Structure formats: C-alpha cells, structure tokens
C-alpha cells in the first residue's frame, strides 16, 4: 500500500489534468476587439504601458482645434486623455453675451482668459456662507492672463460686457467633465415640483411659458451691452 502523501500527490495531479486548461489572459492590445472603440479599449487596458501600445502613432497625442471642429477635448474624441484625469476646452464668448448658468458634476475647472474681459460669478456648495450667514457668491473680474477656479458641482457663469469677443481656455481634472444646465434641467421637473420649489411664485399655467423662454443658445445676449455697442440681437 502506497503512503498517504504519495496517494494525495497522485490525486492532485489527476485533478489538475482533468480540469479544463485556461489560457493566460491576453493584454487588451493583443485581443481582437474590433467592436470596441479605442477609448473603450484604453479604459480596459491593464496598465499605462499597454495604453501606449494602443496609441502607436505620434499623431495620437495631438488634438487640433479648427474653426469648424470640436473645441472641447475629452477622452471620447481625444483617446490619449483616457486615464490621465484631464480634459480641456478652447472657446470664445461673443460680445455682449452670457454663458448659461451651468456646472460640471465630475470635474473642477480652471478658467483662463487669453483676450477680452469677463465678469465671472460662482456659487459653491450650500455650506459655504458669507460673514452674514448668507449663501456665498464669488464674483470676480477677469482680464487677459488671469485664471479663476470653479470647484466641481459649483454653479457658475461668465458674462462678456464688452463689444469685442473674449477668448478663453478651460482645463478640467477629469477626462469626462460633463455639463449640467441649471435652468433647463430644473425646468424639466414636473409642474408641481417646480411650483413648490419656487414657493408657488410661478403659477401653474406660466411654468410652460418659462420653459419655452429658456434660450437654446449657450450664449445669452446681454441687452444693455447690445445697446451700448450698437449691435442687433441676432449678431454674435
């Protein structure tokens, strides 16, 4: 009779041979994944080294902003940003216009002005109050070369009060920063919720009028500035 230790070893070998063989997992860069976008493949990569293998061309690390192109670079249209926690936007706020009141739910924004003049307003979280206990609102005036910060989730807007456009660059600490439009999304709630939220100050029959009055353009015209600059509302 064989010793128990030898019997156990033989049984272990037999079990190992009986189990189906499993191939070692292949790196995502070596798998056939034509159905996945390159950004999706980069997100599934096991390491940063493998992400470089999925970006084999030097041109993969260039994002070109053109007059007719997308001025916002995220991991979706610039895959090299995947996993680095950053994205950016280059834009222009037309003369006599205001950006929609908005927020970025997944990123803090650094807003830098390269030309023009901007009035910025930002409302942080509810717990941030002023010396009188009122909600803190941070208002700053930006000139070229200045940078301001909008923490993630804070409501903010920019106004161009001058007759010339203002050019800016915005950097975000997420490759998918997203945008929330305060007025449009708030007015998407049911009539009853809206009426109660605003203390019944908006009559039920007027709520739809308010919805329809929200501008569709990201730049809202500033009437006082238009008059000062002698511009018509349809001009940008």
């Amino acid at each position: 009779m064989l010793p128990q230790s030898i019997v156990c070893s033989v049984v272990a070998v037999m079990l190992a041979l009986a189990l189906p063989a499993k191939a070692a997992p292949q790196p995502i860069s070596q798998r056939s994944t034509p159905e996945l976008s390159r950004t999706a493949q980069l997100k599934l990569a096991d390491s940063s080294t493998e992400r470089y293998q999925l970006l084999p061309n030097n041109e993969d690390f260039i994002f070109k902003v053109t007059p007719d192109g997308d001025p916002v670079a995220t991991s979706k249209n610039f895959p090299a940003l995947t996993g680095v926690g950053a994205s950016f936007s280059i834009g222009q706020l037309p003369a006599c216009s205001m950006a929609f009141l908005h927020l970025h739910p997944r990123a803090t924004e650094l807003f830098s002005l390269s030309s023009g003049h901007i009035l910025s307003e930002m409302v942080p979280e509810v717990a941030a109050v002023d010396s009188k206990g009122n909600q803190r609102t941070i208002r700053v005036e930006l000139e070229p070369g200045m940078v301001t910060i909008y923490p993630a989730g804070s409501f903010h807007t920019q106004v161009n009060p001058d007759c010339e456009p203002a050019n800016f660059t915005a950097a975000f600490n997420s490759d998918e920063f997203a945008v929330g439009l305060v007025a449009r999304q708030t007015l998407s709630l049911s009539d009853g919720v809206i009426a109660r939220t605003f203390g019944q100050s908006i009559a039920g029959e007027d709520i739809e009028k308010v919805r329809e009055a929200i501008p569709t353009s990201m730049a809202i015209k500033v009437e006082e500035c238009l008059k000062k600059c002698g511009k018509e509302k349809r001009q940008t």
Side-chain angles (χ1 to χ4, degrees), residues 38 42 49-61 78-82:
R38 184 151 54 158
L42 287 162
T49 301
E50 190 175 350
R51 284 197 287 271
Y52 280 111
Q53 294 173 352
L54 291 165
L55 299 165
N57 303 313
N58 291 340
E59 291 73 19
D60 292 331
F61 295 87
F78 189 22
L81 291 176
T82 304

Side-chain angles (χ1 to χ4, degrees), residues 34-53:
E35 71 282 0
L36 294 179
S37 68
R38 184 151 54 158
T39 299
Q41 293 180 52
L42 287 162
K43 289 181 177 179
L44 292 173
D46 292 325
S47 66
S48 60
T49 301
E50 190 175 350
R51 284 197 287 271
Y52 280 111
Q53 294 173 352

Side-chain angles (χ1 to χ4, degrees), residues 3-22:
Q4 186 175 0
S5 59
I6 297 178
V7 173
C8 291
S9 298
V10 172
V11 171
V13 171
M14 292 178 65
L15 286 173
L17 293 174
L19 292 173
K22 291 185 178 180

Side-chain angles (χ1 to χ4, degrees), residues 182-213:
V182 178
R184 185 182 302 176
Q185 291 180 253
T186 300
L187 270 294
S188 296
L189 297 167
S190 65
D191 291 0
V193 170
I194 294 170
R196 287 187 287 272
T197 297
F198 290 93
Q200 306 296 336
S201 61
I202 305 177
E205 61 272 17
D206 292 331
I207 292 177
E208 192 58 35
K209 294 180 182 178
V210 176
R211 288 193 183 104
E212 294 174 355

Side-chain angles (χ1 to χ4, degrees), residues 122-129 135-138 151 153-155:
M122 185 264 287
V123 179
E125 59 194 87
V126 173
V129 296
Q135 173 67 58
R136 180 83 184 274
T137 301
I138 299 171
S154 61
F155 299 137

Side-chain angles (χ1 to χ4, degrees), residues 15 33 55 57 62 66-67 97 112 120 130 148 168 176 192 211:
L15 286 173
T33 54
L55 299 165
N57 303 313
I62 296 175
T66 62
S97 64
S112 172
S120 165
D130 60 20
T148 191
F168 65 87
E176 292 185 89
R211 288 193 183 104

